[in-house]
Amino acid sequence: MDAFCLRYAPRAPGHAAVRDLCRLLYVIPSEDREARDAWVERCIAWLREPRSASGLHEEEEPQPLAASRLKLLVRVLEGERTTRLSLSRLVGAICAEAHGLKLFAQVGLADHPGFLSELADRVLQRLLPTPPDPERLSDLLHLFPKPEDVTWLESLPAGSLARLLALVGEPPPPLPDPGMVFRAHLVDALMLLATRTAAQGLAEEVRDRSPGMAFRASPFLRLRRTCDGVLARNAAPDTLRELETAVADCRSVTDTVTQHLEQSGLSVKLVYRLDAIRGGLDRLEAIARVLGASPGEARCREGLALILHLLRQAHEERSVRELAKTHLRLMARTTIERVGHSGEHPLISTRAEFHAMVHSASGGGLLAAVTAALSLFLDKLPLAPFFTGLVSTFNYAGSFVLMQFLGLTLAARQPSMTAAMLAGAMGGKGPRPGRLERLEELIPCLTRSQLAALLGNLSCVLLASVGLTLLYHQSTGRPLLEPEQAQSVIDSLHPWRSATLAWAALTGALLWAASLASGWLENFFVYRRLPEALAHHRGLQRLLGDAGAHGLAGFMLRHVGGIGGALTLGVLLAVVPKVGSFFGLPLEVRHVTLSLGSLALAGGALGAQAVLTWGFFAALLGTLGIAVLNIGVSFALALTVALRARDITSQESWRLLRWVGLRLMKEPRSFLLPPPVPPAPAAPEQPVPAPAQTEG
């Protein structure tokens, strides 16, 4: 021990790192498999100790913590031939018994049979870990159980790792060469990955979305044949270059399919299949880089990058949180991808479009006033709760569907659609400056659209409600609402003496849920190719004619999302309070347009004196809070789900928010009103033709 310490740490012979290393290296096991595994764990624990082993030698310069112990180990092995041979035998024995196919071809790329079964497997692994299998190299990843281990491995210098592998990479016969063993495992993994990725890329739902390519010309077929060439020629450089070309062509096909998802619809299975194809192609490229790297430090660097990638994937495979995030993203993608294409989301860039939106929203406000009056009338009917909910559903859903058919606008339904469009622009293809330019044009258009819809809805519902009250009083000689019912409406909208703001936030969540239903239904309609089925349905063709069947298919394609969202919103607004009362929860809904209409009806019933009271003014403030919460909650939920569905990072989201704030301070008017129409450029003056010369 003392001689060892004086030789390798003359400046600090009593250093604990040197003494621990001496004890570790002189008890290297050779026969027992469990003893070898335990020794490897102790060796990694020694490398991971936080105390630096720098400055132990006169010629040594200060080194980082992670590199100091690794370089000390390399220096000792270079000077101790017997120890080096013992460690080489240990490495050779591990490589001779282990199989690396699962490590390189399956870790991080496992098939997910379903959320519940995968969740049960991961929870069971947490409670009762699977027994180790020393014959699989993938079990070596369990030596790094924490995500922080990835950061430690990244900090290790590739040069020192290459020297260490060179020292222990030549075990005596009959043990195999570890480098050749790992190369064989990588080539086998390459074949398995190519076979599985080619099968996924040649699936029918992928081929149907790349119709411009013949089956024989598919790069996924070439991918399999290229990997056969890699195997036959032992990963020669030209075969690896052919593999890189095939992988790039396969990725191009996958990108083309992804770009057409909005037109052809998508499912959780299809989105997962595309993600699996991309993961397989990335793994093929990583393995090809290792095989193609020159021996020494370059190959060690590529191999370390592959191991780090596998380690990250292994941690995600064991994480219940990552499983939930992945499946939520898949489900969000299937719904949010079509939300931005259905419903009411025009982009206002001119004054004419702004006025058209106000007019459309005014029609929606008129219908909302009638809906609010019917809702208050239905509340007075002595019906059982089931029938009360049923007629309320018909009232709300019928009104919203009629708005859809008439092309009218309801302001509170817009935020979910606009959030989906915003996330789609953020996650679009192209360089970041180009995306910011699109957002610079899109965001003011969206805010103008929302403002115009609110102005049209609220102004018209107010006037229409007052008009209905006056018309009813003129016709019957009594107010539309009884004084007690009118006062109850005013009290229910008080911002702090009632729970109206909480119900407004709940209604915002219901608006968002209705937008998801709209997107899901339209996606289902497109993915199952129901428009084509309707257009070619023989019964419809006999009944409506060929042109009529095609017209019905086009009509359903244009309106199925809006109808689904309208029906869902109507059902939610009517049923949620009844379900809450069934469980003893006093749930209510507060929709801004309907609430303002009810408040106007109550004010008209009580007269001008009641309108000028503080209670009515507080209810008006409560209606303003309802507008903010309806729009804010719906927009926030929709934007969060849309960003998650498109894998947009939080850094990009905060960058966009900061940019919007700066733009709002510089040009607040652009977020409210469209710019005036620029004057048409004057036509250039035409030269006056000279009079024709005539012969006299």
Side-chain angles (χ1 to χ4, degrees), residues 101-112 189 192-194 196-197 200 272 275-284 287 309-310 313-314 316-317:
L101 192 60
K102 179 180 179 181
L103 174 64
F104 298 118
Q106 292 180 243
V107 170
L109 301 175
D111 295 330
H112 293 279
L192 178 58
L193 286 168
R196 186 166 56 193
T197 305
Q200 292 170 335
Y272 173 74
D275 288 345
I277 292 174
R278 293 190 187 95
L281 295 176
D282 292 341
R283 186 69 57 82
L284 284 170
I287 294 177
H309 170 71
L310 295 174
Q313 295 291 325
E316 291 182 1
E317 276 191 338

Side-chain angles (χ1 to χ4, degrees), residues 11-43:
R11 297 180 60 183
H15 198 284
V18 185
R19 293 182 172 273
D20 292 342
L21 181 60
C22 180
R23 298 186 186 97
L24 186 68
L25 294 180
Y26 281 94
V27 291
I28 299 177
S30 58
E31 299 296 335
D32 186 37
R33 177 184 296 174
E34 294 183 359
R36 290 199 302 262
D37 295 341
W39 187 91
V40 172
E41 291 184 8
R42 292 199 303 271
C43 184

Side-chain angles (χ1 to χ4, degrees), residues 50 84 129 160 245 326 342 677 687 695:
R84 184 169 66 248
S160 299
T245 303
T326 300
S342 58
V677 179
E695 296 181 359

